[in-house]
Structures are given as C-alpha cells and as structure tokens.
Amino acid sequence: MATLDINEIKEILPHRFPFLLFDRIVECEAERIVGLKNVTFNEPFFQGHFPDFPVMPGVLIVEAMAQTAGILVLKSIEDRASKLVLLVAVENARFRRPVVPGDTLRLEMTLLKRKATVAKMAGIATVDGQIVAEAEMMCKLADKDEKPATQV
C-alpha cells in the first residue's frame, strides 16, 4: 500500500467531512507514512479563523498529523473495522509558520515505538519544503464497542 486516495482512506478511518483532514497518502512504509492536505479557502474553519486573515488552526494541523498516523497504525490490522485509534498524548508541538489557503500540507509521520495497543510517533508538517509544524504523539488502539471512562 504505497498510495491511497480519499475513498481508500475512508475505508480505513472513520473520520468524515468536515473532520477528515487530509486528502491522500503518497508514501506508506512499515514505519513511515506521508499524507497530503490541499488547503482551500472553502475549509469550514476559515469562516472564523480568521475572516480577514485565514490561518489553519494549529490544533487541526496536529489532528491531520494524527489522522495520517492512524492510517499507519490501522493498515496492518485485519479487524480494523472494529477498532479506533485514539489520540492520548501530544508532546513537543511547535508551529513555525501559518498554513493558509492554497498551501499543500505534507504530513510525514514516523513510528518511534509500538506495543500491542499503543504507538508513539513523530511528525513533521511542511509546505513547499518548509517546516510549518512538528509534534510527537501517542495513540491507543481501542475496540469501537469499548465504553469510554466516565468523566467527573
């Protein structure tokens, strides 16, 4: 599985518009994956962030990185339809420059450690070869029917 289009991505991830935040996988290896997001002025978040200076929110860049990582985690699991990849930690997040309409966001995620249900990844987001964001994140593989912990 070296490349995936949006329909193949939707077969693996449960995310849908407006929260599926990347368009294509262009590289996929055992411990590394690269996704692309074509950032357009029509993104729903640009209506309020910011109307006179549209900037993609940093948290959504991190989410796009996490979704790309989710493909890497789920692609090798046979029963992936019954699983979710949940983001459990984000560390060392840095934002270097704004991402604006017209940019193509390149999301590169590399596996650092993996255990049975937990994976730690490092990611770099670039536009035109310049780093716009970077972060380390940890995700947990969970059963879809697993009940979330009650919050107080």
Side-chain angles (χ1 to χ4, degrees):
M1 176 168 52
T3 64
L4 296 173
D5 65 23
I6 194 66
N7 292 319
E8 293 166 312
I9 290 167
K10 287 168 47 179
E11 289 176 12
I12 298 172
L13 285 183
H15 303 75
R16 296 295 179 264
F17 179 83
F19 218 70
L20 181 55
L21 295 174
F22 68 103
D23 304 309
R24 173 173 293 281
I25 296 296
V26 294
E27 296 177 39
C28 189
E29 302 164 5
E31 296 184 356
R32 184 179 156 277
I33 191 166
V34 178
L36 296 179
K37 165 71 175 157
N38 295 309
V39 181
T40 70
F41 186 73
N42 296 325
E43 307 290 348
F45 48 80
F46 284 139
Q47 292 178 22
H49 198 271
F50 302 98
D52 296 329
F53 185 73
V55 175
M56 185 173 183
V59 295
L60 294 183
I61 296 169
V62 170
E63 175 65 22
M65 294 165 71
Q67 289 179 15
T68 302
I71 292 285
L72 187 62
V73 171
L74 287 171
K75 73 176 180 60
S76 62
I77 298 172
E78 289 185 30
D79 63 340
R80 66 178 168 238
S82 67
K83 303 290 184 188
L84 287 174
V85 178
L86 303 175
L87 184 62
V88 296
V90 176
E91 299 172 338
N92 303 316
R94 300 284 184 264
F95 303 97
R96 306 291 182 198
R97 82 162 189 79
V99 175
V100 299
D103 285 346
T104 298
L105 191 58
R106 183 179 187 273
L107 309 154
E108 182 174 345
M109 300 300 298
T110 303
L111 183 66
L112 299 175
K113 295 179 188 175
R114 184 164 185 178
K115 295 184 180 179
T117 61
V118 177
K120 184 168 185 179
M121 310 232 184
I124 297 175
T126 60
V127 172
D128 295 329
Q130 292 186 326
I131 296 174
V132 297
E134 54 194 315
E136 292 179 3
M137 55 193 68
M138 198 164 13
C139 59
K140 175 189 176 208
L141 192 61
D143 291 326
K144 280 186 180 177
D145 60 359
E146 184 178 310
K147 299 281 188 220
T150 305
Q151 294 184 350
V152 179

